[in-house]
Amino acid sequence: DNFLHNNSKYMLIAGCGTGKEPIYFNKILNDCNITAIDLSKSSLSYAIRMSKEENSSNIKFINGDLLNVEMLKQKFDIVICSGVLHHMKIPEEGLKKLLEVTKPGGLLKIALYSKLARKHLVDYQKKAKNLNCDDLNTIRNFRNEIISNENRNNQIFKTGDFYSLHEFRDLIFHKMEHQYDIPSLEKLFLKNKLRFLGFQDV
């Protein structure tokens, strides 16, 4: 708490999407300058509009790639990256880029897919691998097959993303996905000389 609330802090949110995270942190943290970057111009446009509606004026939105984060020419006290690294071809390359802009002793929060938590999705992902992930009818039909054929106690029906077509596409049809277990995380942290502070279940 002292780290977050004492003095002026600089935060980077790498992969801010439609702005939910920067707007949230702008509300709860005092005197924190937030830079939010994302590859998608349409997502950024929505994020900017929402931030104006929420009077979140202390956020700087930038269209940019995580792998080119040095373009910001700045180091940050807090770096947050949710839902991005595990979809990169080489996640560690993205992690190293984030570490390059994290101040010594700074806080880095990353979200990665859990191999254990997502094991119930593997069979569906294999079946969907050769289907057209850009065709919404294909995705809708695949989901309808699951609804018709699976027992209602199946874990997939307890997953919130199942009920939104676009979220379902990300859940099952994403072209690139890496999953992690405890040993692989430990190896990742040790290799990059990171001090692990804990998990946050979401």
Side-chain angles (χ1 to χ4, degrees), residues 10-195:
Y10 290 85
M11 174 187 287
L12 170 66
I13 299 180
C16 67
T18 54
K20 183 179 178 180
E21 277 189 310
I23 291 171
Y24 169 75
F25 284 112
N26 186 71
K27 286 180 178 179
I28 67 169
L29 297 179
N30 296 322
D31 200 17
C32 188
N33 302 283
I34 300 173
T35 298
I37 67 170
D38 202 274
L39 267 178
S40 170
K41 290 182 179 179
S42 59
S43 292
L44 280 174
S45 297
Y46 183 85
I48 291 168
R49 187 166 76 248
M50 292 302 297
S51 70
K52 288 179 180 178
E53 290 181 9
E54 297 286 341
N55 295 316
S56 300
S57 58
N58 203 28
I59 306 171
K60 181 167 62 176
F61 290 99
I62 297 175
N63 180 225
D65 190 336
L66 186 157
L67 291 176
N68 297 322
V69 75
E70 69 275 3
M71 69 177 181
L72 299 174
K73 299 186 184 330
Q74 184 179 354
K75 290 191 180 289
F76 299 87
D77 302 283
I78 308 163
V79 175
I80 296 175
C81 185
S82 303
V84 178
L85 293 179
H86 50 226
H87 287 313
M88 297 180 70
K89 186 175 182 180
I90 306 176
E92 193 171 348
E93 287 186 1
L95 177 62
K96 287 179 177 177
K97 287 293 184 179
L98 295 177
L99 290 173
E100 287 174 8
V101 296
T102 304
K103 290 181 180 179
L107 177 67
L108 172 65
K109 178 186 177 186
I110 57 176
L112 299 171
Y113 282 149
S114 162
K115 186 178 290 187
L116 179 63
R118 293 175 73 81
K119 67 178 182 179
H120 66 288
L121 302 175
V122 173
D123 287 342
Y124 301 115
Q125 291 171 329
K126 287 179 180 177
K127 290 177 183 177
K129 195 168 186 179
N130 296 320
L131 298 177
N132 184 359
C133 65
D134 296 317
D135 179 58
L136 291 182
N137 283 327
T138 298
I139 296 169
R140 186 180 292 108
N141 290 338
F142 188 85
R143 186 176 63 173
N144 287 341
E145 284 182 20
I146 296 174
I147 293 171
S148 299
N149 299 326
E150 296 290 355
N151 187 294
R152 285 298 166 178
N153 291 323
N154 191 303
Q155 183 68 26
I156 198 168
F157 294 120
K158 301 175 184 177
T159 305
D161 289 350
F162 182 83
Y163 300 95
S164 161
L165 199 59
H166 291 283
E167 296 295 338
F168 179 73
R169 176 169 59 181
D170 190 58
L171 189 73
I172 302 296
F173 285 80
H174 209 288
K175 294 177 182 178
M176 181 66 64
E177 176 176 311
H178 298 272
Q179 299 175 359
Y180 294 82
D181 55 16
I182 298 298
S184 60
L185 286 175
E186 182 180 28
K187 182 179 179 181
L188 184 69
F189 297 154
L190 287 173
K191 185 176 180 180
N192 291 280
K193 299 178 181 178
L194 296 173
R195 183 163 66 94

